[in-house]
Structures are given as C-alpha cells and as structure tokens.
C-alpha cells in the first residue's frame, strides 16, 4: 500500500517508489556487493561468491530481470534473471531477490531442467540451454516464433509467479516449476523447496501462472490442465 517497485534496466538498479506521490525513495544496485550462489558441477554443491560486483567478474555480468516474472512478498522482491552467454546476461539461470529494508541482494542458480524416469534418481541439468517441443494436445506444432522452442530463460514472457502459504511458484517455458521459501533468511539451497515438472523434459511447454482456490493449485501446459491437491 505504501510502495511501488521497478527495475531500471539500463543501470541494473532496483528502485523503490512512494506509491502515493510517485517520488523516488531509494535506488538499490543489482550488481554491486551482492551474494551469488552458483552451482559447481565438479563438487556437486553451491559455491558462494560473497559481496561481489557482478560487473567486475570475468566476463562481466549484466542483470536483466525477466519481464513480468517478479513478485513482492515477505519483505523481498523476487525475480528471475534473463540468461544469455553472448550478451553476458545473468547471473545465469538464477533467481534473485532484493531485501527492501536492508538493500541486500542475493542470487541463487537453479537447475535448467530435470530428467526423470521410473525408479531412477532425478538428474538435474545445470547451466546448459535446453529446448522443448511446442506441440499441443492435438499434435499440432503451434510455435510461430523460433524463440518459443527455447527454455524460457531469455527474451520471452513467462507466467507471473504465484505465492501461496509462504511458497513462491515460478514456471519456465519448459514446464519446470520451482518452489521457493519466501521467508528463507538466506537464499541458498534450503530455500529451493522443490523442482517439479508438468511433463517429460523436452516435450512439455507452458507460459502459465498458477492459480489457487479451495486448497488446490491449478496449472496447465500446452497439452493439459493440472489440479494439485489432497484427495
């Protein structure tokens, strides 16, 4: 009720606005003095880069928050980061958040996809672009733009996040849904509560925002509607 928030893309800043007067209250850098947790495939664990300047990394990283894929809750502004190696956009495959009161900025790398099979351990795919079929329930390929075949981490319009009972749900174009603890004190591996999917990797597609009603979550892919809840 008091504030509005937005991103200044040209300067990689987060701005807090007085919702009543329109005046700028403060500007928070999305690149300077941030905590960046990236996944190290060799160790199979996260590596913390504390209090770093993303512009001073090699190569330097520019933060471009994904359009409309952001949500303010529990005192934080959460957003996904557009990822493109050629333009050095990132941090790659990360969710970010700004703590409004303290100006603290954190980034956590997320798996791009997950391969699942009956009786098999989930195989997360990290740091590599993926693609998926854009085929609907009638078997028709409806992609009118080649960008629709990508993974949804660059230049697309994903569904907006949904927050229910302190959990944030964010879905990428691959039909992969991340569940984030919105009240987590630290944006680390424990804050990533689950990595769910709407169907098999490489054959599932969605630009949906989750809806909630009567104790159930409603989601959809290009092929079907899904209701998630207790029987």
């Amino acid at each position: 009720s008091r504030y509005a928030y937005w991103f200044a893309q040209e300067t990689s800043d987060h701005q807090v606005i007085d919702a009543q007067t329109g005046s700028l209250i403060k500007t928070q850098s999305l690149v300077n003095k941030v905590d960046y947790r990236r996944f190290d495939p060799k160790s199979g664990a996260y590596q913390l880069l504390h209090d770093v300047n993303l512009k001073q990394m090699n190569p330097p990283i520019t933060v471009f928050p994904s359009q409309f894929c952001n949500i303010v809750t529990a005192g934080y502004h959460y957003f996904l980061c557009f990822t493109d190696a050629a333009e050095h956009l990132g941090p790659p495959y990360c969710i970010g958040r700004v703590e409004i009161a303290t100006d603290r900025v954190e980034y956590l790398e997320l798996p791009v996809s997950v391969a699942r099979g009956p009786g098999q351990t989930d195989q997360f795919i990290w740091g590599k672009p993926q693609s998926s079929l854009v085929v609907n329930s009638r078997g028709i390929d409806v992609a009118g733009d080649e960008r629709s075949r990508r993974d949804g981490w660059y230049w697309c319009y994903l569904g907006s996040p949904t927050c229910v009972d302190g959990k944030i749900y964010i879905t990428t174009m691959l039909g992969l849904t991340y569940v984030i603890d919105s009240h987590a004190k630290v944006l680390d591996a424990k804050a990533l509560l689950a990595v769910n999917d709407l169907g098999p990797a490489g054959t599932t597609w969605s630009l949906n925002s989750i809806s909630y009603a009567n104790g159930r979550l409603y989601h959809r892919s290009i092929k079907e509607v899904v209701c998630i809840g207790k029987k």
Side-chain angles (χ1 to χ4, degrees):
S1 59
R2 291 187 59 192
Y3 306 114
Y5 313 93
W6 62 61
F7 301 104
Q9 178 190 336
E10 297 299 325
T11 57
S12 290
D13 286 331
H14 178 263
Q15 297 180 338
V16 182
I17 310 297
D18 188 310
Q20 303 303 315
T21 67
S23 60
L24 176 64
I25 295 175
K26 64 178 176 179
T27 297
Q28 301 158 308
S29 174
L30 297 176
V31 297
N32 190 32
K33 300 188 73 172
V34 305
D35 284 353
Y36 170 23
R37 285 177 171 84
R38 62 186 181 187
F39 188 78
D40 180 14
K42 293 182 179 180
S43 65
Y46 280 102
Q47 174 190 34
L48 171 60
L49 304 180
H50 175 63
D51 221 19
V52 297
N53 187 328
L54 298 178
K55 287 287 189 181
Q56 295 178 354
M57 298 188 67
N58 185 23
I61 296 175
T62 297
V63 178
F64 186 172
S66 177
Q67 293 146 318
F68 309 122
C69 198
N70 56 301
I71 188 169
V72 175
T73 182
Y76 298 95
H77 194 171
Y78 289 85
F79 57 96
L80 289 191
C81 301
F82 271 157
T83 298
D84 184 75
E87 297 186 30
H88 307 311
L89 299 181
Y93 304 105
C94 278
I95 183 172
R97 75 176 185 182
V98 181
E99 188 171 15
I100 306 301
T102 67
D103 301 344
R104 182 175 60 145
V105 178
E106 302 168 274
Y107 295 97
L108 176 70
E109 185 176 353
L110 303 174
V112 186
S113 186
V114 57
R116 291 192 163 111
Q120 299 179 2
T121 303
D122 290 353
Q123 299 295 319
F124 287 143
I125 299 171
W126 298 88
K128 297 178 181 179
Q130 303 295 304
S131 62
S132 190
L133 299 177
V134 192
V135 177
N136 66 15
S137 60
R138 292 180 290 165
I140 300 172
D141 189 330
V142 298
D145 189 313
E146 284 301 312
R147 289 175 293 185
S148 294
R149 304 184 194 279
R150 301 194 301 210
D151 53 29
W153 281 94
Y154 184 48
W155 212 251
C156 64
Y157 296 91
L158 300 174
S160 298
T162 300
C163 187
V164 179
D165 195 24
K167 300 176 180 65
I168 301 171
Y169 300 86
I170 307 177
T171 300
T172 63
M173 208 153 60
L174 299 176
L176 206 69
T177 300
Y178 308 102
V179 186
I180 305 294
D181 180 1
S182 69
H183 296 282
K185 298 300 182 183
V186 179
L187 191 61
D188 58 12
K190 293 181 180 179
L192 179 59
L193 300 178
V195 179
N196 300 320
D197 65 75
L198 287 169
T203 63
T204 309
W205 195 92
S206 179
L207 290 180
N208 186 54
S209 294
I210 290 178
S211 299
Y212 171 81
N214 299 323
R216 297 186 177 98
L217 296 173
Y218 292 87
H219 210 341
R220 68 183 174 95
S221 70
I222 199 172
K223 296 178 180 177
E224 58 193 0
V225 176
V226 180
C227 175
I228 306 168
K230 294 181 180 179
K231 292 184 178 180

